[in-house]
Amino acid sequence: MNYEISKGTLAIVPNGEETSLVYEDENRYYIKEKPFKIMEESCKYFGSSYDGRKESAKSILGAEYKVPIIVEDSENIVLFPTTSPRSSECAWISLRNIKSIEKIDAGTTKIVFNNDKNVIIPISYRSIENQISRASRLELIMNRRKIKK
């Protein structure tokens, strides 16, 4: 099954070596692709390459690592990585669907989505806060550029 990221995508979490668990509004899917591959294919599906979107985000934010990616710009579909994007531990989280985050312990955070579903990620609360801030800044800058046109 090929999977394209959509407005309903909440998170893409690694599940073993070659499989991802994709959380959507009311569904969960096991996809036989790594999260990074799903990101690459979704960027292509929406008309750009992952590397192109990454370079753009790096340029806009002045950041070098763990940059958020605008997968689809007309719908403001922005996902951010929880670790180095090519790491087998990296999950991708949809910015638009986050309701809140809760610290579980020093290295674990619960992300609660708008539909009250949640996912627990092995990343510090502070790191998630930083990633949300970075992704929000990218989205804001891009939205301002659209308005100026």
Side-chain angles (χ1 to χ4, degrees), residues 102-110 120-129:
E102 300 171 20
K103 182 178 181 177
I104 303 286
D105 60 39
T108 310
T109 305
K110 182 196 303 188
I120 295 174
I121 301 289
I123 183 175
S124 73
Y125 182 87
R126 180 89 170 115
S127 290
I128 286 286
E129 273 188 324

Side-chain angles (χ1 to χ4, degrees), residues 10-51:
L10 306 176
I12 305 167
V13 180
N15 186 56
E17 284 297 309
E18 298 292 324
T19 306
S20 300
L21 178 55
V22 176
Y23 293 83
E24 271 197 2
D25 290 327
E26 297 302 322
N27 301 307
R28 291 183 343 171
Y29 302 103
Y30 290 95
I31 306 295
K32 289 185 180 183
E33 288 184 334
K34 294 178 182 183
F36 185 76
K37 184 71 172 170
I38 293 171
M39 285 294 294
E40 282 185 315
E41 293 301 315
S42 291
C43 287
K44 281 184 202 169
Y45 180 80
F46 289 113
S48 187
S49 69
Y50 171 86
D51 288 334

